Amino acid sequence: MEFRQGDIEQIPLEDASVDVIISNCVINLTTDKARAFREAFREAFRVLRPGGRLLVSDIVLLKALPEVIRHDLDAYAACVAGALPKGDYLAALRAAGFSAIEGVGETHFDLGEPTAKNVEGAQKITAADLKEAAEAVASVQIQAFKAAPGSVFAG
């Protein structure tokens, strides 16, 4: 095993040189998500050997967030307000060439009750907003493969 540091848009590895990539993504913090996801997944696909596997953990949306939370800076910094819909996330993997894409874990959040401290000086987030957001946000673990020639991986 070897660990290397690099930018996700330009992984410092040769083509088809690794068997597994594990990523705890924070791509949700970028403002140009379509570009970031496209480049990140394309690079991961490039460096994987045929038959190689990508395992990524990230925050996704299962449904739309309440507007007050979508525009909350703390929710954005927590990778919630900027999260992509789960379907868009999976589509980005398919567009990069990955196949046999499947969720291997999903955790939902309890965002708790609003307190004076977490809404102080900010927009008014209500208990109903937090409940709705908790139903919309999930942490997912997704695996995807770079098909080997002649493999039977389905997309």
Side-chain angles (χ1 to χ4, degrees):
M1 180 182 342
E2 181 178 343
F3 291 89
R4 291 203 188 172
Q5 182 175 344
D7 293 329
I8 198 165
E9 300 93 352
Q10 197 170 28
I11 299 172
L13 296 169
E14 299 296 319
D15 293 357
S17 61
V18 297
D19 296 311
V20 177
I21 296 173
I22 300 170
S23 177
N24 184 17
C25 282
V26 291
I27 300 174
N28 288 326
L29 294 175
T30 186
T31 55
D32 188 352
K33 286 171 196 45
R35 179 177 166 258
F37 275 89
R38 182 178 60 249
E39 290 180 11
F41 291 151
R42 184 187 66 223
E43 274 294 284
F45 190 82
R46 178 188 66 79
V47 301
L48 280 173
R49 290 185 176 114
R53 178 173 68 146
L54 170 70
L55 181 61
V56 60
S57 177
D58 213 339
I59 304 295
V60 298
L61 296 179
L62 305 175
K63 64 181 187 175
L65 287 169
E67 186 172 340
V68 68
I69 292 183
R70 258 195 351 260
H71 298 290
D72 183 79
L73 293 178
D74 289 333
Y76 190 83
C79 296
V80 170
L84 284 178
K86 185 177 178 180
D88 292 354
Y89 201 100
L90 298 174
L93 283 164
R94 281 190 296 277
F98 286 99
S99 57
I101 300 165
E102 68 173 314
V104 293
E106 186 168 302
T107 306
H108 299 268
F109 291 90
D110 176 6
L111 301 177
E113 294 291 324
T115 65
K117 183 179 180 185
N118 68 9
V119 296
E120 180 182 308
Q123 300 171 17
K124 294 185 180 181
I125 299 173
T126 67
D129 293 328
L130 287 176
K131 182 178 185 317
E132 189 176 341
E135 294 169 356
V137 178
S139 171
V140 294
Q141 296 77 46
I142 299 169
Q143 76 174 356
F145 291 86
K146 179 177 182 175
S151 72
V152 294
F153 283 142

